[in-house]
């Protein structure tokens, strides 16, 4: 739960009839209400990117109910006399980032050793599960790349293999920050959570051989 979020209760005319703030667990409550139509408005904290999509999943008690993220408002909620509705929720998320380095695996051991340089000018694509390209980067002078302001979710990172090269072995050694994560086709599946900064998605390349 997210604490200290301002929440407003609006009547059918759009007038604010009550305000409150979420507690340490993110809970809030408006009590003593007359039967009628209401809307709940959540004020998005600056530390979050946006509200989560509404109505996701089959359990309405744990989904987000903000239908207009631009103003943090839910749809109309109709309350009967004596009715209790504890399912009016709002989800918030932070943007994520991912990146690391493409390096030349000079000894072919699948691990980036201290003397092995990064490779500049290589195209790296960030794709959705259906193959749609979300963003494209090019490795810098030391082989680094970075995707920022990424929505949480499932992605594929695809490295374009330079001519005459092959990708080195995957998941070698005990240090995940120094191994190569891509398969032979230069891709790796990545899941990003809200606010995550994943700087461990590496790729090593070495000369192809016959």
């Amino acid at each position: 739960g997210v604490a200290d979020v301002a929440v407003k209760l609006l009547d059918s005319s759009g007038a604010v009839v009550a305000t409150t703030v979420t507690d340490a667990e993110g809970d809030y409550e408006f009590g003593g209400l007359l039967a009628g139509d209401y809307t709940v408005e959540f004020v998005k904290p600056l530390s979050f990117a946006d509200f989560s999509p509404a109505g996701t999943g089959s359990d309405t008690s744990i989904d987000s109910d903000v239908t207009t993220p631009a103003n943090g408002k839910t749809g109309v909620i109709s309350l009967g006399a004596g009715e209790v509705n504890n399912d009016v929720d709002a989800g918030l998320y932070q943007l994520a980032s991912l990146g690391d380095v493409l390096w030349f695996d000079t000894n072919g051991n699948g691990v980036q050793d201290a003397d092995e340089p990064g490779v500049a000018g290589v195209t790296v694509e960030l794709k959705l599960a259906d193959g749609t390209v979300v963003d494209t980067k090019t490795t810098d002078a030391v082989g680094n790349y970075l995707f920022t302001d990424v929505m949480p979710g499932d992605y594929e990172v695809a490295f374009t293999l330079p001519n005459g090269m092959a990708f080195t072995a995957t998941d070698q050694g005990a240090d995940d920050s120094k191994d190569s994560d891509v398969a032979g086709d230069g891709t790796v599946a990545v899941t990003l959570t809200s606010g995550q900064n994943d700087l461990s998605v590496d790729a090593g390349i070495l000369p192809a051989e016959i």
Side-chain angles (χ1 to χ4, degrees):
V2 182
D4 300 322
V5 175
V7 188
K8 304 175 184 179
L9 183 68
L10 287 64
D11 64 15
S12 58
S13 70
V16 177
V17 295
T19 60
T20 189
V21 176
T22 57
D23 65 17
E25 283 75 43
D27 296 326
Y28 76 96
E29 183 179 64
F30 295 108
L33 303 177
L34 298 174
D37 294 335
Y38 297 92
T39 301
V40 178
E41 178 182 346
F42 300 88
V43 180
K44 182 178 69 68
L46 294 177
S47 58
F48 288 87
D50 208 345
F51 291 96
S52 303
T56 301
S58 59
D59 189 345
T60 59
S61 68
I62 59 174
D63 68 345
S64 183
D65 298 301
V66 174
T67 56
T68 53
N71 55 24
K73 292 182 179 180
T74 67
V76 175
I77 301 159
S78 297
L79 287 180
E83 181 180 357
V84 176
N85 186 338
N86 287 329
D87 290 343
V88 185
D89 310 328
L92 292 163
Y93 68 86
Q94 295 171 319
L95 296 176
S97 59
L98 71 93
D100 208 353
V101 63
L102 175 76
W103 88 93
F104 188 58
D105 189 11
T106 56
N107 60 9
N109 67 352
V111 176
Q112 186 184 17
D113 299 306
D115 60 344
E116 292 180 332
V119 181
V122 174
T123 300
V124 188
E125 294 178 323
L126 182 66
K127 301 180 180 181
L128 298 177
D130 63 3
T132 301
V133 178
V134 176
D135 199 357
T136 302
K137 299 294 182 183
T138 301
T139 56
D140 64 15
V142 292
N144 292 329
Y145 75 96
L146 180 66
F147 293 105
T148 59
D149 297 335
V150 182
M151 282 194 64
D154 297 326
Y155 296 93
E156 180 184 82
V157 180
F159 296 83
T160 300
L161 187 65
N163 291 332
M165 298 289 178
F167 288 103
T168 192
T170 305
D171 296 330
Q172 302 299 299
D175 187 349
D176 187 55
S177 68
K178 297 296 184 182
D179 67 348
S180 182
D181 300 300
V182 302
D185 63 355
T187 65
V188 57
V190 177
T191 298
L192 292 175
T193 59
S194 178
Q196 182 180 6
N197 181 31
D198 185 351
L199 298 180
S200 66
V201 185
D202 312 349
I205 59 173
L206 67 169
E209 296 180 356
I210 296 178

